[in-house]
Amino acid sequence: MLAILGITFPIYVIIALGYACVRKGVFRPEHMPQFGGYVMNIALPALLFNAVATRDVSEVFDLTYMAVFLAGALATIAVGFVVFGALGLSPGRRAVAIMGTSCPNSGFIGYPVMLLSFPEIAGQILALNMLVENFVIIPVCLAIMEASKGRGEADLMHKLGHILLGVIRRPMVIALVAGLLVSLSGLGLPGPVLRVFEMLAASASALALFVIGGALVGVPFRGNRGVAVMIVLGKLLVHPAMVALALLAVPLVGLAPLAPELAAAVVISAAIPMFSIYALFAQELGHEGMASIAQILATGGAFVTLNVLLFVLL
């Protein structure tokens, strides 16, 4: 158990450090988006590019892993659609709840966990997760949110086009595509160039966790707390359970089995709390209070659920 705490304890210490520094005025709350922008637009893209460009394509893109991760997320979305609909939530509130249960924070929390748990393949895991999340899971959730606004079909399709265009323009997606092109070309990058990307990538983990903690300062703790608790249960328990079920179904559909480390990683990836900009998306529908409560509770609750899951799987 001490070995498991050795994985999660440093992560939550850095989150707590970020919270304390902003709370005590060492940094201001408005600094956190700037730090987060560096992580999202420079450090993580450098990490993804390096992870993909320095590996053979067959080593990076594990179709079984991606299928399991995607199937678990889509199953979670379906469960959320039914359960939150049965509770009588409005379409907008249901859409926000669904996003909270199915979109993990693979960059800011997931990667540090993988770096400490599976250091040799942490970059590959991040690349796989980001591919599925950016190209399928997040667009599906955004589409559900747009549909909840009750707009006309033509207006909805126009908005979905903008969503897809926004996905393609993300620095992390561009980095993935660029890394893929380098990998396919078979041309190795010069050592000094690789070291630049390695140095930038090394700055991602700690700063990402620091931003998570700092961003929690001043988050409004108001909204529908009952629904927020259900979102947390969906994210921390239902989502990894759905991925675990998808993993068990792999032999039944004829896919190649996953290596033990990747099998553990795909379930752990689903147990990561929701992504850091969750409340911003919820704000578009007027439910940022509920999303903020869910995010705070999930970040804290994951200390327990992640430790249990790591103890079982590692």
Side-chain angles (χ1 to χ4, degrees), residues 125-141:
I125 294 168
L126 178 63
L128 291 168
N129 290 348
M130 286 296 184
L131 277 169
V132 177
E133 290 169 23
N134 282 284
F135 283 103
V136 185
I137 301 173
I138 294 175
V140 167
C141 289

Side-chain angles (χ1 to χ4, degrees), residues 220-279:
F221 201 75
R222 63 180 184 272
N224 192 324
R225 299 185 183 183
V227 177
V229 170
M230 294 197 65
I231 294 171
V232 173
L233 293 176
K235 184 72 212 67
L236 302 184
L237 299 179
V238 176
H239 190 186
M242 292 296 102
V243 171
L245 288 175
L247 188 62
L248 292 175
V250 165
L252 303 178
V253 295
L255 291 174
L258 282 176
E261 285 189 337
L262 285 175
V266 72
V267 178
I268 295 169
S269 293
I272 300 298
M274 62 281 289
F275 57 176
S276 56
I277 55 174
Y278 172 50

Side-chain angles (χ1 to χ4, degrees), residues 50-66:
N50 191 61
V52 176
T54 57
R55 288 182 170 87
D56 186 84
V57 175
S58 61
E59 297 178 9
V60 176
F61 298 103
D62 191 304
L63 294 180
T64 301
Y65 182 103
M66 296 171 70

Side-chain angles (χ1 to χ4, degrees), residues 74-193:
L74 293 179
T76 303
I77 290 172
V79 170
F81 201 90
V82 173
V83 172
F84 291 119
L87 291 175
L89 300 187
S90 66
R93 183 161 292 189
R94 177 174 62 182
V96 170
I98 288 171
M99 174 175 275
T101 61
S102 55
C103 295
N105 196 342
S106 295
F108 281 40
I109 298 180
Y111 175 67
V113 171
M114 296 305 161
L115 190 61
L116 293 172
S117 306
F118 314 105
E120 297 299 323
I121 58 171
Q124 178 191 5
I125 294 168
L126 178 63
L128 291 168
N129 290 348
M130 286 296 184
L131 277 169
V132 177
E133 290 169 23
N134 282 284
F135 283 103
V136 185
I137 301 173
I138 294 175
V140 167
C141 289
L142 289 175
I144 294 172
M145 292 178 71
E146 286 299 322
S148 73
K149 296 177 181 178
R151 294 175 173 174
E153 183 177 348
D155 189 36
L156 177 59
M157 294 303 295
H158 179 72
K159 186 66 176 180
L160 292 178
H162 277 287
I163 290 172
L164 294 176
L165 184 61
V167 167
I168 296 171
R169 288 177 173 175
R170 290 184 182 186
M172 286 185 291
V173 173
I174 294 172
L176 280 168
V177 173
L180 175 61
L181 293 175
V182 172
S183 178
L184 288 172
S185 71
L187 300 175
L189 294 176
V193 174

